[in-house]
Amino acid sequence: MAAVFPKGFFWGGATAANQLEGAWDADGRGPSVDDHFTGGSYERPREITLEIDPDKLYPNHDGIDFYHRYEEDIALFAEMGCNMLRMSISWSRIFPNGDDAEPNEAGLAFYDRVFDCCHAHGIEPLVTMSHYEMPYHLVEKYDGWASRELIGLFERYAKTILDRYHGKVTYWLTFNEINCGTMDMGNLFETSMIQGYEGPASGVHTTFQDRYQALHHQFVASGRAIRYAHESYPTLRMGNMDCFILSYAATCDPADILLNQQQMRQMNWYCSDVQVRGYYPSYARRFWRDHGIELDIGPGDLDDLEEGTIDFYAFSYYMSNVVGTHGVEQSAGNMTFGGKNPYLQSTDWGWQIDPDGLRFSLNEIWDRYQIPVMVVENGMGARDEVAEDGSVHDPYRIAYLRSHVKAMGEAVDDGVDLVAYTWWGPIDLVSAGTGEMRKRYGFVYVDKHDDGTGTLERRRKDSFFAYQRIIRSNGTEGLE
Ligand code: BG6
């Protein structure tokens, strides 16, 4: 029998401003870090250019033009049955340079319109304050999150949007995939993408010291935003957002088990332990010592962590990987590489598909924290073909969706307090990792291509109707 999702469960989709809005320089918006990323592909990493080069293509500049088409898109999400839309606010739409004296009213007004439109369709917005972007000026002038100054600048931005939208937005996330800041991804594009702190203006910060110091600044900034929200608007619910990459020990060799424990702590638990509990976990001390990290902790920082804890735990889940001490074949994945698992299939981009891993992760998270949990990204990037009659048949995406919804149902049955599921990219949008359009996640197809051409017309894929059926039955039908 299919598991029963709780009444009032949120079903929806998840997006990020820089990957779909476009209109990068409209109505007073300033350039953000992502506007300096060129297009790329699986084989060819995106470049970052310090100046905008007219001979190169920057796919985030136009996105899928949600800025002008949000009404049509939100109506499509509503037609699918979504009652939640995860979206982010573009920081540089509100503060074009990040350190401006006054916010940009036109930018604020845009999100008023979007939130109003959501509510008109019975859709609850779930808003990320910073989804892999910041005003580019903050990277040039302050070196992004390497600087303590960013804490105050983010705090002002957060207060501005909380004051403006607290009546329209109840659910908030501070930083997207904050834990990706722990990783040394070793190339300019990816490290630069992480919240913008690895600024192109200053070179790449690949040392543990730099990464963990930048993360500390983000923890404090997040804590201050949450503290302010709780004090000023007690009905708001504030969450983190972690990129949960489950890893398995490759063998039962105790050395592999220990290695995996360390991997899980560094990748998956370090940030949320701070954000849920309000203090650094005890294993952090040894980790810092072993990696030569000496955190500069300012007066009041630890109070901000303690008083800025989250109300719910939110995470992205796409895949799992394997770690071991005996040599493990490598596989690609979300923001990272990891070991290949012989029991799993992979997407065309090498991400290992593991619905049971989602059930396992949900149980681990719930057992550890005992606060409501949201899956705020999950999905599958794939190449889609438009048939002659205009339809898009995507059985692979439907299979991925069903298997992960089933896994969530099992987790609910296991006792996990799961309250929301927002599929990544309910509509095709620009890939964060590769800048491609052909790596499609959507239930809605967008006629836009890697070379920037396309009519931008939207069309419903088969998966649109599959998700609709799941939502209509609150997860009890459409899983076969
Ligand atoms: C998540 C990010 O890690 O993965 C999204 O939060 C991103 O921004 C998603 O788009 C999928 O990754 P990609 O590289 O396939 O777009």
Side-chain angles (χ1 to χ4, degrees):
M1 194 186 101
V4 177
F5 285 83
K7 196 162 171 278
F9 189 80
F10 288 117
W11 297 96
T15 63
N18 72 85
Q19 290 172 256
L20 91 167
E21 281 180 6
W24 73 295
D25 57 358
D27 300 331
R29 183 182 182 277
S32 91
V33 172
D34 303 83
D35 294 318
H36 289 256
F37 294 168
T38 67
S41 68
Y42 186 40
E43 300 77 22
R44 186 174 52 86
R46 305 179 77 176
E47 289 171 61
I48 291 184
T49 64
L50 300 188
E51 303 297 332
I52 302 301
D53 180 342
D55 295 328
K56 295 188 191 287
L57 192 71
Y58 297 88
N60 301 70
H61 287 191
D62 300 323
I64 57 158
D65 199 31
F66 179 83
Y67 191 76
H68 297 109
R69 294 164 192 257
Y70 68 88
E71 286 172 308
E72 179 187 354
D73 293 344
I74 291 170
L76 282 163
F77 303 152
E79 186 185 326
M80 260 191 296
C82 295
N83 57 0
M84 178 165 266
L85 174 62
R86 177 175 171 225
M87 51 177 286
S88 70
I89 292 178
S90 165
W91 187 346
S92 65
R93 240 183 242 296
I94 309 303
F95 288 101
N97 297 295
D99 57 2
D100 317 73
E102 295 298 329
N104 171 30
E105 177 53 34
L108 287 165
F110 168 65
Y111 294 105
D112 270 324
R113 294 196 294 278
V114 173
F115 298 143
D116 289 345
C117 183
C118 286
H119 287 298
H121 286 285
I123 293 178
E124 193 69 43
L126 165 64
V127 174
T128 319
M129 293 179 171
S130 174
H131 190 123
Y132 283 155
E133 64 174 328
M134 67 165 57
Y136 188 64
H137 173 73
L138 297 184
V139 178
E140 286 184 305
K141 181 167 173 190
Y142 303 93
D143 206 5
W145 284 107
S147 164
R148 269 195 83 79
E149 301 236 29
L150 264 282
I151 298 174
L153 294 169
F154 180 83
E155 186 183 5
R156 201 161 60 102
Y157 161 62
K159 285 181 174 172
T160 303
I161 55 180
L162 287 164
D163 288 344
R164 177 80 172 215
Y165 305 124
H166 64 91
K168 299 182 183 185
V169 179
T170 301
Y171 298 95
W172 296 84
L173 311 172
T174 48
F175 293 102
N176 183 61
E177 296 189 340
I178 189 169
N179 59 322
C180 286
T182 62
M183 293 193 249
D184 174 8
M185 288 178 280
N187 79 41
L188 183 61
F189 158 62
E190 283 176 317
T191 48
S192 294
M193 193 169 74
I194 303 312
Q195 325 296 1
Y197 77 82
E198 311 280 6
S202 60
V204 182
H205 301 141
T206 54
T207 66
F208 278 99
Q209 173 65 35
D210 289 344
R211 295 204 304 273
Y212 281 78
Q213 186 63 51
L215 264 180
H216 177 73
H217 295 152
Q218 288 180 280
F219 290 149
V220 175
S222 173
R224 285 197 197 171
I226 292 173
R227 187 177 176 173
Y228 179 76
H230 283 158
E231 283 168 6
S232 309
Y233 309 109
T235 54
L236 300 192
R237 290 289 165 266
M238 309 298 293
N240 66 326
M241 198 311 204
D242 266 22
C243 175
F244 202 93
I245 301 200
L246 175 65
S247 56
Y248 300 109
T251 73
C252 52
D253 179 346
D256 283 6
I257 305 296
L258 271 173
L259 181 68
N260 190 42
Q261 183 181 56
Q262 282 160 14
Q263 167 76 12
M264 286 290 289
R265 282 176 171 173
Q266 191 193 341
M267 179 68 212
N268 296 316
W269 300 128
Y270 179 85
C271 294
S272 49
D273 281 352
V274 174
Q275 294 191 292
V276 177
R277 298 170 178 161
Y279 53 87
Y280 279 106
S282 42
Y283 59 80
R285 307 277 177 287
R286 174 156 187 190
F287 182 83
W288 295 335
R289 195 185 71 216
D290 288 352
H291 294 85
I293 299 166
E294 284 182 28
L295 283 192
D296 177 14
I297 298 181
D301 284 6
L302 298 181
D303 296 335
D304 288 326
L305 302 190
E306 196 178 327
E307 287 166 40
T309 55
I310 54 177
D311 303 311
F312 62 91
Y313 175 100
F315 70 114
S316 63
Y317 179 90
Y318 292 89
M319 48 162 282
S320 64
N321 65 27
V322 169
V323 298
T325 59
H326 301 285
V328 180
E329 194 189 338
Q330 291 296 291
S331 148
N334 187 15
M335 307 291 168
T336 186
F337 289 81
K340 242 195 174 113
N341 186 331
Y343 301 100
L344 300 178
Q345 305 284 317
S346 297
T347 70
D348 288 346
W349 276 262
W351 300 23
Q352 302 185 105
I353 303 170
D354 183 11
D356 287 336
L358 176 56
R359 176 181 176 184
F360 181 85
S361 302
L362 282 164
N363 274 281
E364 290 292 291
I365 292 162
W366 169 247
D367 285 353
R368 194 175 184 105
Y369 298 134
Q370 302 280 298
I371 56 175
V373 183
M374 293 189 181
V375 176
V376 296
E377 283 187 34
N378 171 241
M380 176 193 198
R383 294 185 185 88
D384 292 329
E385 299 291 336
V386 181
E388 274 191 12
D389 65 356
S391 54
V392 181
H393 305 300
D394 54 348
Y396 33 88
R397 189 171 291 107
I398 295 173
Y400 184 103
L401 170 70
R402 286 177 175 160
S403 62
H404 285 77
V405 171
K406 272 191 216 161
M408 289 192 303
E410 295 291 348
V412 168
D413 216 5
D414 292 334
V416 175
D417 184 13
L418 178 65
V419 295
Y421 175 70
T422 58
W423 170 272
W424 174 254
I427 185 165
D428 295 341
L429 35 64
V430 176
S431 159
T434 64
E436 289 165 300
M437 274 307 300
R438 71 179 176 147
K439 186 181 188 189
R440 296 177 182 275
Y441 286 85
F443 301 132
V444 175
Y445 182 90
V446 178
D447 184 40
K448 176 93 196 269
H449 308 285
D450 287 348
D451 60 3
T453 62
T455 61
L456 291 170
E457 185 195 347
R458 277 64 167 150
R459 55 179 76 236
R460 297 161 185 79
K461 303 181 193 177
D462 288 355
S463 54
F464 180 100
F465 302 102
Y467 195 35
Q468 188 182 57
R469 189 162 166 230
I470 290 171
I471 297 177
R472 278 189 181 153
S473 65
N474 201 27
T476 56
E477 287 173 20
L479 302 177
E480 61 287 343

